[in-house]
Coordinates of all heavy atoms in Angstrom, one line a residue:
A247 N -10.5 -2.2 -0.2 CA -10.0 -1.3 0.9 C -9.1 -0.2 0.2 O -9.2 0.9 0.6 CB -9.1 -2.1 1.8
M248 N -8.3 -0.5 -0.8 CA -7.5 0.5 -1.5 C -8.4 1.5 -2.2 O -8.2 2.7 -2.2 CB -6.6 -0.2 -2.6 CG -5.4 -0.9 -2.0 SD -4.2 0.3 -1.3 CE -3.0 -0.9 -0.7
G249 N -9.5 1.0 -2.8 CA -10.3 2.0 -3.5 C -10.9 3.1 -2.5 O -11.0 4.3 -2.8
R250 N -11.3 2.5 -1.3 CA -11.8 3.4 -0.3 C -10.8 4.4 0.4 O -11.1 5.5 0.7 CB -12.5 2.6 0.8 CG -13.8 1.9 0.2 CD -14.5 1.1 1.3 NE -15.8 0.5 0.8 CZ -16.5 -0.3 1.5 NH1 -16.2 -0.6 2.8 NH2 -17.6 -0.8 1.0
L251 N -9.6 3.9 0.5 CA -8.6 4.6 1.1 C -7.9 5.6 0.3 O -7.6 6.7 0.7 CB -7.6 3.7 1.8 CG -8.0 2.8 2.9 CD1 -6.9 1.8 3.3 CD2 -8.2 3.7 4.1
V252 N -7.7 5.3 -1.0 CA -6.8 6.1 -1.9 C -7.5 6.7 -3.0 O -7.1 7.8 -3.5 CB -5.6 5.3 -2.3 CG1 -4.9 4.6 -1.3 CG2 -6.0 4.3 -3.4
G253 N -8.6 6.2 -3.5 CA -9.3 6.8 -4.6 C -8.5 6.9 -5.8 O -7.9 5.9 -6.3
Q254 N -8.2 8.1 -6.3 CA -7.4 8.3 -7.4 C -5.9 8.6 -7.1 O -5.0 8.9 -7.9 CB -7.9 9.6 -8.3 CG -9.3 9.4 -8.9 CD -9.3 8.4 -10.0 OE1 -8.4 8.6 -10.9 NE2 -10.1 7.5 -10.1
R255 N -5.6 8.6 -5.8 CA -4.2 8.9 -5.4 C -3.3 7.7 -5.4 O -3.0 7.0 -4.5 CB -4.3 9.5 -4.0 CG -5.1 10.8 -3.8 CD -5.3 11.1 -2.4 NE -6.2 10.2 -1.7 CZ -6.5 10.2 -0.3 NH1 -5.9 11.2 0.4 NH2 -7.3 9.3 0.1
W256 N -2.8 7.5 -6.6 CA -2.0 6.4 -6.9 C -0.7 6.3 -6.1 O -0.2 5.2 -5.8 CB -1.8 6.1 -8.4 CG -1.0 7.3 -9.1 CD1 -1.5 8.3 -9.6 CD2 0.4 7.3 -9.2 NE1 -0.6 9.1 -10.2 CE2 0.6 8.5 -10.0 CE3 1.4 6.5 -8.9 CZ2 1.9 8.9 -10.3 CZ3 2.7 6.9 -9.2 CH2 3.0 8.1 -9.9
R257 N -0.1 7.5 -5.9 CA 1.1 7.5 -5.0 C 0.9 7.0 -3.7 O 1.7 6.3 -3.1 CB 1.7 8.8 -5.0 CG 2.3 9.3 -6.4 CD 2.9 10.7 -6.3 NE 3.5 11.2 -7.6 CZ 2.8 11.8 -8.5 NH1 1.5 12.0 -8.4 NH2 3.4 12.1 -9.6
L258 N -0.3 7.3 -3.1 CA -0.6 6.8 -1.7 C -0.8 5.3 -1.8 O -0.4 4.6 -1.0 CB -1.9 7.6 -1.3 CG -2.4 7.0 0.1 CD1 -1.3 7.1 1.2 CD2 -3.7 7.8 0.5
E259 N -1.4 4.9 -2.9 CA -1.6 3.4 -3.1 C -0.2 2.7 -3.1 O -0.1 1.6 -2.5 CB -2.4 3.2 -4.5 CG -2.7 1.7 -4.6 CD -3.7 1.5 -5.8 OE1 -4.0 2.5 -6.5 OE2 -4.1 0.4 -6.0
L260 N 0.7 3.2 -3.8 CA 2.1 2.6 -3.8 C 2.7 2.6 -2.5 O 3.3 1.6 -2.1 CB 3.0 3.4 -4.8 CG 2.6 3.3 -6.3 CD1 3.7 4.1 -7.1 CD2 2.6 1.9 -6.8
A261 N 2.4 3.7 -1.7 CA 2.9 3.7 -0.4 C 2.3 2.6 0.5 O 3.1 1.9 1.3 CB 2.7 5.1 0.3
L262 N 1.0 2.4 0.4 CA 0.3 1.4 1.2 C 0.7 0.0 0.8 O 0.9 -0.9 1.6 CB -1.2 1.6 1.1 CG -1.8 2.9 1.7 CD1 -3.2 3.0 1.5 CD2 -1.5 3.0 3.2
L263 N 0.9 -0.2 -0.5 CA 1.4 -1.4 -1.0 C 2.8 -1.7 -0.4 O 3.1 -2.8 0.0 CB 1.4 -1.5 -2.5 CG -0.1 -1.6 -3.2 CD1 0.1 -1.5 -4.7 CD2 -0.8 -2.9 -2.8
G264 N 3.6 -0.7 -0.4 CA 4.9 -0.9 0.1 C 4.9 -1.3 1.6 O 5.7 -2.1 2.1
A265 N 3.9 -0.7 2.3 CA 3.8 -1.0 3.7 C 3.3 -2.5 3.9 O 3.9 -3.2 4.9 CB 2.7 -0.1 4.4
L266 N 2.5 -3.0 3.0 CA 2.1 -4.4 3.1 C 3.3 -5.3 2.9 O 3.5 -6.3 3.5 CB 1.1 -4.7 2.1 CG -0.4 -4.3 2.4 CD1 -1.3 -4.6 1.1 CD2 -0.9 -5.0 3.6
A267 N 4.1 -4.9 1.9 CA 5.4 -5.8 1.6 C 6.3 -5.7 2.8 O 6.8 -6.8 3.1 CB 6.0 -5.2 0.2
I268 N 6.6 -4.6 3.3 CA 7.5 -4.5 4.4 C 6.9 -5.3 5.6 O 7.7 -6.1 6.3 CB 7.6 -3.1 4.9 CG1 8.4 -2.2 3.8 CG2 8.4 -2.9 6.2 CD1 8.4 -0.7 4.0
G269 N 5.7 -5.3 5.9 CA 5.1 -6.1 7.0 C 5.3 -7.5 6.7 O 5.6 -8.2 7.6
S270 N 5.1 -8.0 5.5 CA 5.2 -9.5 5.2 C 6.7 -9.9 5.3 O 7.0 -10.9 6.0 CB 4.8 -9.7 3.8 OG 5.0 -11.1 3.4
V271 N 7.7 -9.1 4.8 CA 9.0 -9.3 5.0 C 9.5 -9.3 6.4 O 10.2 -10.2 6.9 CB 9.9 -8.4 4.1 CG1 11.4 -8.6 4.5 CG2 9.6 -8.6 2.7
A272 N 8.9 -8.4 7.2 CA 9.2 -8.4 8.6 C 8.8 -9.6 9.3 O 9.6 -10.1 10.2 CB 8.7 -7.1 9.2
L273 N 7.6 -10.0 9.0 CA 7.1 -11.3 9.7 C 7.9 -12.5 9.4 O 8.2 -13.2 10.2 CB 5.7 -11.5 9.2 CG 5.0 -12.8 9.8 CD1 4.9 -12.8 11.3 CD2 3.6 -12.9 9.2
R274 N 8.4 -12.7 8.0 CA 9.1 -13.9 7.7 C 10.4 -13.9 8.3 O 11.0 -14.8 8.7 CB 9.1 -14.1 6.2 CG 9.8 -13.1 5.4 CD 9.9 -13.4 3.9 NE 10.7 -14.5 3.7 CZ 10.3 -15.8 3.2 NH1 9.0 -16.0 3.0 NH2 11.2 -16.7 3.0
S275 N 11.0 -12.6 8.4 CA 12.3 -12.5 9.0 C 12.3 -12.8 10.6 O 13.1 -13.4 11.1 CB 12.9 -11.1 8.8 OG 13.0 -10.8 7.4

C-alpha cells in the first residue's frame, strides 16, 4: 500500500506512518 501511495516520496511515507501510529495510540487510549 505504501509503495502505491507514496512511490519515492519518503516524506509522505513518514506522514502516513505517523498517522498509523496516532490511530493506534488513539484506539488504546
Side-chain angles (χ1 to χ4, degrees):
M248 282 293 179
R250 292 180 178 177
L251 290 172
V252 306
Q254 297 286 313
R255 296 171 293 176
W256 61 269
R257 290 183 178 86
L258 177 58
E259 183 169 8
L260 292 180
L262 292 178
L263 289 173
L266 282 178
I268 291 171
S270 177
V271 171
L273 175 60
R274 66 179 289 113
S275 298

